Amino acid sequence: MSFRTDYLAELPHLTPETAPAAALRLFRHQAEHCPPYAAYLSALGRDLRQVARLEDIPFLPIEFFKTQEVRTEPAGWAPQETFLSSGTTLQQRSRHLLRDPQLYRHNAAHIFRQFYGPLTEWTFLALLPSYLEQGHSSLVAMVEYFARESEQGQDAFFLHNHAALLQALAEAKAAGRRVLLFGVSYALLDLAAEYGAAPELQHITVLETGGMKGRRREMIREELHAELQQAFGPAGIHSEYGMTEMLSQAYSFGDGRFHAPPQLRLLLRDPADPFSVSATRPDGALNVIDLANIDSCAFIETKDLARMHPDGSFEVLGRMDNSDIRGCNQMAGS
């Protein structure tokens, strides 16, 4: 069988113990078969035979997803779907080319089940107007898939129709289903401002995906969550860490700390030196290894600043200077 076939069979069964070896195998494969990554590594002049640890891997700057077709050959495949990052008309949007759209959806569902249980226990509703309006959103694709697989029998997206959303919330709760409301930050604040502490908003799981998109002033996470809790009750506001360039997600359950699945490995680097990467550094700029990115590039140098905790969880502290706002949950923290 091919490397890709063998690797994809292993992906759902990765553990924290087996993931590093899988990452090194994928690195060697993509170092040869992902042309933009191979060209970048060649320009660095690094001896790839000396890459023995995750910290030794050179990470691809995330800007390559804006300027290059980041895909791993040699199959010569044509993209079946393309995800685009959010942005203004003046910004160049990142592109993630998908060889197999179901890989993204199945992987996202597998991760969700690890943290939240079966999809069929949930009703998924969403206030994601900017993502819907711009199109080609990985987040919208994920919520669509979750709602279909949950067999909830209700529309998931409400754009700006808050009254219809409240009715859907009431119906789902009356049916005894757990409710998860995805929402971009400014849309959740708009809902809270209009309906306050309405009973329909109580006792649901709210998952904010970050981003004011220029609609409201930027807020630190603690301030945002405190304001949202006035409408949605004292339970913690959940969050997702993901972005267009990643096919995997990490989740926070209300305390601001994100928890990553085995297929998502995180390392920190010195913000002033992209090649100074450490597995023990407590804070710095974030490098991501997304082991679901078999058809693009799994090794991404992001522009996010983060803090790692001894239990493996992490906080997103904000963005490096002069980098554009992007992705999901890229809100400045304390």
Side-chain angles (χ1 to χ4, degrees):
M1 290 192 292
S2 68
F3 173 88
R4 186 176 186 273
T5 301
D6 288 341
Y7 181 87
L8 288 179
E10 180 184 3
L11 182 63
H13 307 290
L14 289 175
T15 67
E17 292 72 32
T18 61
L24 288 170
R25 290 198 303 274
L26 184 58
F27 165 72
R28 296 185 185 102
H29 178 73
Q30 292 188 331
E32 180 178 356
H33 295 298
C34 178
Y37 191 36
Y40 178 68
L41 296 173
S42 176
L44 294 179
R46 297 283 293 273
D47 184 353
L48 302 184
R49 294 171 298 181
Q50 296 181 358
V51 175
R53 308 170 304 155
L54 300 186
E55 300 94 306
D56 301 330
I57 294 174
F59 285 72
L60 185 72
I62 200 167
E63 292 86 354
F64 275 65
F65 282 85
K66 291 183 176 181
T67 62
Q68 306 290 320
E69 290 195 346
V70 181
R71 58 175 133 184
T72 294
E73 308 288 358
W77 52 271
Q80 300 302 302
E81 187 172 14
T82 299
F83 291 144
L84 299 177
S85 63
S86 57
T88 70
T89 55
L90 298 178
Q91 291 176 330
Q92 189 172 8
R93 298 167 70 183
S94 288
R95 297 171 298 156
H96 198 157
L97 310 179
L98 273 66
R99 175 178 177 177
D100 177 7
Q102 290 307 306
L103 171 59
Y104 167 69
R105 290 159 173 82
H106 292 167
N107 181 64
H110 177 68
I111 294 170
F112 183 90
R113 286 192 295 267
Q114 291 179 58
F115 292 121
Y116 289 98
L119 296 176
T120 50
E121 293 182 358
W122 292 87
T123 290
F124 298 95
L125 306 174
L127 274 178
L128 302 170
S130 51
Y131 293 98
L132 287 167
E133 291 162 352
Q134 291 192 337
H136 302 284
S137 162
S138 59
L139 178 61
V140 169
M142 183 180 79
V143 176
E144 282 180 336
Y145 182 73
F146 286 5
R148 184 167 64 250
E149 291 298 301
S150 77
E151 302 178 350
Q152 63 191 48
Q154 288 177 292
D155 290 337
F157 299 97
F158 294 87
L159 203 57
H160 304 289
N161 192 341
H162 293 166
L165 172 60
L166 259 67
Q167 181 178 348
L169 288 169
E171 291 173 357
K173 293 165 73 173
R177 293 177 67 97
R178 303 167 72 186
V179 180
L180 194 151
L181 174 61
F182 287 86
V184 65
S185 302
Y186 76 84
L188 291 174
L189 288 170
D190 289 347
L191 175 65
E194 183 174 358
Y195 284 98
E200 293 88 346
L201 302 183
Q202 307 301 301
H203 308 295
I204 66 173
T205 300
V206 178
L207 193 150
E208 59 88 8
T209 65
M212 294 300 181
K213 311 298 181 186
R215 312 293 179 96
R216 285 173 172 258
R217 68 176 180 86
E218 295 295 330
M219 304 166 70
I220 63 171
R221 180 176 292 107
E222 290 80 3
E223 181 185 7
L224 171 70
H225 286 196
E227 188 165 334
L228 291 176
Q229 284 176 311
Q230 294 179 25
F232 295 102
I237 304 296
H238 293 214
S239 304
E240 180 210 46
Y241 180 80
M243 60 184 69
T244 299
E245 299 83 357
M246 293 164 50
L247 298 186
S248 299
Q249 303 80 33
Y251 289 98
S252 168
F253 309 114
D255 60 358
R257 292 189 182 187
F258 291 96
H259 301 266
Q263 57 266 59
L264 197 58
R265 308 287 298 187
L266 307 165
L267 297 169
L268 296 182
R269 68 183 189 273
D270 184 339
D273 181 358
F275 305 112
S276 177
V277 179
S278 170
T280 59
R281 186 184 180 95
D283 51 53
L286 186 61
N287 284 359
V288 168
I289 302 175
D290 186 350
L291 296 177
N293 279 17
I294 183 174
D295 297 314
S296 53
C297 182
F299 309 95
I300 303 172
E301 177 190 295
T302 82
K303 298 300 183 183
D304 295 325
L305 298 172
R307 174 178 298 130
M308 299 296 297
H309 293 275
D311 64 355
S313 64
F314 66 100
E315 297 175 72
V316 179
L317 305 179
R319 307 225 6 107
M320 296 176 67
D321 291 343
N322 302 319
S323 58
D324 58 331
I325 299 298
R326 54 178 297 106
C328 302
N329 209 346
Q330 307 309 306
M331 187 186 332
S334 60

